[in-house]
Amino acid sequence: MSTIRVGVQLHPQHCTIDELTTAWRGADAMQVDSIWVWDHFSPLYGDTDGPHFEAWSLLAAMAVDTDHAMLGALVSCNTYRNPDLLADIARTVDHVSGGRMYLGIGAGWFEREYADYGYPFGTPRSRLDALVASLDRIAVRLSKLNPPAIGRMPIMIGASGEKVALRVVAKYADAWNTYGTPEHYADKNTALDGWCAKLGRDPGEIERTVLIMDEPAIARWRDYVDAGAQHVIVAVGTPFDLEPVEHLLAEVRGGA
C-alpha cells in the first residue's frame, strides 16, 4: 500500500476560538498530514444562528500556531471572494505558514449564505462557469504576485458532478475532494480518471482526497483507499474529539 495521508477538518461552529486553537494544536502535535476548516458563514447543523467563524482568518491564525500539517479551506466558495484577492490571500497565508497551504476551492452551494451576504446565487451551471473563470484568473494572479508562494500550494477542487464538475477537476486541479460511501467514491474516482483520459491529463498528477463524516466511515478507511483515496480527511465538530483521528493515524501508519 502506498503512503496514505490523514487529515482533519475542524468545523468552526458552535465553539470558541480557544476551543478551535486547542483542537488544531492537538491535531498538529499528533502529526496529522493536513488540517482544514470549511468556508461558510453560519452553522451547517445544530442551531443555524449559533456561533461561527470565517475560514481564511482562522487559517492565518492556524498558520502561525502550527508547524507540521498542510492547511487549507475544504473548500473555499469561489463566489465569496474576488478570485485575484483569494489568490493573494492564499499566497500570503502560505508565507505565514512556511509553505504549507492548499488553495481549496469549489463552486458553492449554500443558498442561505448567498442571501445573507448579498451574493447572487445563480444556478449550478452558472456557479460552475464562474469557477472556471476564477481558476483561470487565479493562475494568472499567482504567476504575478511578488513574492510568489513559497510552497507548492496545490489547487484543490471540491466537486462530484460527472458531466461538468469533474471535467473542471481534470483540467485544473492538483488535488480533488468529495465525500460519500466508498462505493460512491469509487464511481466518482473512475469518472475523474475518464475525464483525465479525454483531456490528456495524467491522472497521477491529481491527489485523491476524501472527506469522511463519522466513525462507521472511518472504520471503512481501507475501502476508501481501495476506491482510490490517497488522503483521508476526518470531519470533526465540537467538542473536537480527536481520538478517532488518533486511532486512524495509528492504523494507517502502523500498517494495521
Side-chain angles (χ1 to χ4, degrees):
M1 182 184 296
S2 60
T3 302
I4 304 303
R5 291 175 287 281
V6 175
V8 58
Q9 183 199 52
L10 302 173
H11 295 173
Q13 64 164 42
H14 300 305
C15 62
T16 65
I17 291 293
D18 284 346
E19 288 170 328
L20 276 167
T21 56
T22 297
W24 71 53
R25 288 171 183 171
D28 199 52
M30 203 181 288
Q31 300 281 291
V32 297
D33 295 293
S34 63
I35 306 172
W36 311 79
V37 291
W38 65 32
D39 185 24
H40 293 288
F41 301 141
S42 56
L44 296 189
Y45 55 88
D47 179 3
T48 57
D49 293 317
H52 196 280
F53 296 102
E54 191 274 332
W56 279 96
S57 304
L58 291 175
L59 288 168
M62 196 185 301
V64 175
D65 207 31
T66 58
D67 298 305
H68 171 76
M70 291 285 290
L71 310 174
L74 185 58
V75 287
S76 298
C77 175
N78 169 55
T79 45
Y80 290 170
R81 298 168 190 84
N82 173 285
D84 294 85
L85 174 61
L86 178 61
D88 203 346
I89 292 169
R91 180 280 311 243
T92 300
V93 181
D94 184 69
H95 276 259
V96 175
S97 72
R100 293 182 290 119
M101 293 303 301
Y102 284 86
L103 200 172
I105 193 165
W109 60 272
F110 192 16
E111 186 171 4
R112 171 192 167 175
E113 294 178 337
Y114 284 80
D116 284 350
Y117 279 68
Y119 297 117
F121 187 56
T123 65
R125 184 53 190 260
S126 71
R127 292 193 297 276
L128 274 170
D129 289 344
L131 175 61
V132 170
S134 291
L135 287 163
D136 287 328
R137 288 177 59 180
I138 286 167
V140 171
R141 181 55 54 192
L142 288 175
S143 73
K144 293 180 177 180
L145 288 170
N146 183 15
I150 59 174
R152 189 169 70 90
M153 204 163 73
I155 301 295
M156 172 189 274
I157 299 177
S160 61
E162 296 183 19
K163 292 184 179 180
V164 179
L166 291 180
R167 174 171 57 82
V168 175
V169 174
K171 181 175 180 179
Y172 291 97
D174 303 301
W176 164 64
N177 183 266
T178 193
Y179 56 90
T181 66
E183 295 76 17
H184 172 88
Y185 189 85
D187 289 343
K188 300 301 180 181
N189 192 56
T190 298
L192 177 55
D193 285 344
W195 275 115
C196 287
K198 291 175 184 177
L199 297 179
R201 179 85 187 274
D202 177 359
E205 294 178 353
I206 303 173
E207 181 186 11
R208 312 304 170 99
T209 81
V210 63
L211 181 64
I212 55 180
M213 307 293 190
D214 53 34
E215 292 200 41
I218 296 172
R220 297 192 66 189
W221 70 267
R222 294 176 185 82
D223 294 331
Y224 285 102
V225 172
D226 290 341
Q230 301 164 312
H231 190 158
V232 177
I233 302 167
V234 180
V236 178
T238 49
F240 299 127
D241 178 9
L242 297 178
E243 187 174 349
V245 181
E246 188 172 24
H247 289 165
L248 176 60
L249 279 169
E251 289 192 3
V252 170
R253 294 177 182 172

